[in-house]
Amino acid sequence: MVKKTIYAGTFLCLLGIALGGCSQQKEISQTPKPKAEFSPICEALIANADKEALRAAYTPLLAKQELLALVDEKYSLPQDYIPQDLVGQGKIRLRAETYQWMKTMQEAAKKDGINLFPISAYRSYAYQQGLKERTKNPAYVASPGHSQHQLGTAIDFNTVNTKDENIPALQWLKKHAGKYGFSLSFPKGKEAETGYPYEAWHYRYISKEGVALQDGFFGGNQHKMLLFLNSCLWTPEKTLGRIEPEDATTHIQDKK
Ligand SMILES: [Zn+2]
């Protein structure tokens, strides 16, 4: 399986190594294809959707290409990708918006008597590499470049022990995380699709609008929604590792 690199133009802009096509790139990436132009593969992803309602749901997300990049065992981030707005201290660093919503969510949980705390957040490529080398549970640890943690928007809450998957904090998250823009990345029953075993503690911030799109049109399936956004709406320069609709087919078939 050939590894691909997704690499939105906005990433380049933020990294300050833009090659002059920055604003143009952004414009391209934020312009949705008219629905008539969706490939059969993309149409299959949104088969029974009311297309006008779908468009209304994804329009607020068009400018959030970096936030909603597809990162999985097939699609990777560049080795030098570092989010530019990381905040927080010590081991727990997150992109600013994610950090704020985590705080808001923690306060809400506290009112319900739940102590919600992050045990892992942003991880650099190099850190992930070390983790992969040291781990005794390789199925649970992504290869470097393939971890959502490198995005600075993924958080492991309270535990990473499968024996703890029903602890009150994780039960609370299951019920409430969506209200704060967080989504369970590796749900039970979707292992073949996401490439990972069920992880009751791993949440990715996708914004409230992202959760609305995910829940309204993709059955709560974060991976499927990200695949749609990244392979059907956004068209980064081919040289940056564009995901072709054909890739989406392979991807879906691979996972069956
Ligand atoms: Zn995690």
Side-chain angles (χ1 to χ4, degrees), residues 117-120 123 149 154-160 199 201-202:
F117 56 91
I119 56 172
S120 186
R123 296 179 201 150
H149 285 281
I155 306 170
D156 295 332
F157 284 103
N158 293 50
T159 179
V160 286
E199 289 191 5
W201 52 82
H202 179 113

Side-chain angles (χ1 to χ4, degrees), residues 29-30 54-68 206-214 218 225-226 228-229 233-234:
S29 65
Q30 290 178 16
L54 174 71
R55 179 187 281 266
Y58 69 61
T59 298
L61 298 170
L62 291 172
K64 298 181 189 251
Q65 191 169 356
E66 182 181 5
L67 183 74
L68 298 172
I206 59 171
S207 78
K208 284 186 192 181
E209 294 83 4
V211 170
L213 180 68
Q214 170 198 272
F218 297 95
M225 178 195 71
L226 295 177
F228 170 73
L229 289 173
L233 291 184
W234 293 326

